[in-house]
Amino acid sequence: GGRLVLITSFLGVVPLPGLATYTATKAALEGWAAAARMENIVPVSTVVDGFIRTGLTDTDGHYHKPGWPYKRSVGPGGLQQTWMDAFDTQLDEHTGAVGRAIADRYPRHRYVVGWDATLTMGACWLFPRWLTHLFINGLYDHFG
């Protein structure tokens, strides 16, 4: 008996413009995990991350590349940069959640990491999905 821990993102639930491929892969992992749990294939937990400062989220490095098409969401003053400055999930929070997902005797289905992911996922649980999308896209329009 083993267990599977998948790393996903709140963007797999509430997408942002300019991140379609990333969003699609994370949404696919969330969907597969839910189906695997229903079918009792293997115990599955997901770790839902917020923005973590890595090479992928290095907005300054991407923003200054010639022809970078997503300046509105990731450039200086863009939603991703503003979001990361406000919340900035630390890598040790992520690794701690992965460790708990592996070691917990009774693991949860989902471990949410970071204030940004917690707020977004909480909104998804409390409000209709269309309202959450409206709110997140409103933030995007405001900061974009």
Side-chain angles (χ1 to χ4, degrees):
R3 119 179 24 165
L4 191 59
V5 178
L6 303 174
I7 310 302
T8 66
S9 169
F10 73 94
L11 294 176
V13 179
V14 179
L16 285 179
L19 301 168
T21 303
Y22 181 83
T23 296
T25 60
K26 298 306 181 179
L29 287 172
E30 283 286 334
W32 187 89
R37 282 191 290 267
M38 285 187 242
E39 296 173 10
N40 291 320
I41 295 173
V42 63
V44 178
S45 293
T46 56
V47 175
V48 181
D49 284 329
F51 283 114
I52 298 175
R53 291 189 191 276
T54 65
L56 179 66
T57 59
D58 174 15
T59 57
D60 289 335
H62 291 305
Y63 184 81
H64 297 293
K65 288 180 183 172
W68 179 253
Y70 308 123
K71 291 183 186 234
R72 184 169 179 195
S73 64
V74 299
L79 178 58
Q80 181 177 337
Q81 183 64 49
T82 304
W83 200 283
M84 285 177 59
D85 289 343
F87 298 108
D88 194 19
T89 302
Q90 299 297 315
L91 190 56
D92 61 339
E93 294 177 70
H94 165 80
T95 54
V98 171
R100 286 190 305 279
I102 293 169
D104 283 355
R105 181 173 179 155
Y106 301 105
R108 291 183 269 170
H109 292 294
R110 182 178 283 142
Y111 294 79
V112 181
V113 181
W115 281 104
D116 49 352
T118 301
L119 290 172
T120 304
M121 297 303 291
C124 289
W125 294 323
L126 292 173
F127 303 110
R129 188 64 51 95
W130 66 268
L131 188 59
T132 304
H133 282 258
L134 186 68
F135 173 72
I136 296 298
N137 286 320
L139 284 176
Y140 174 76
D141 288 341
H142 176 73
F143 289 108

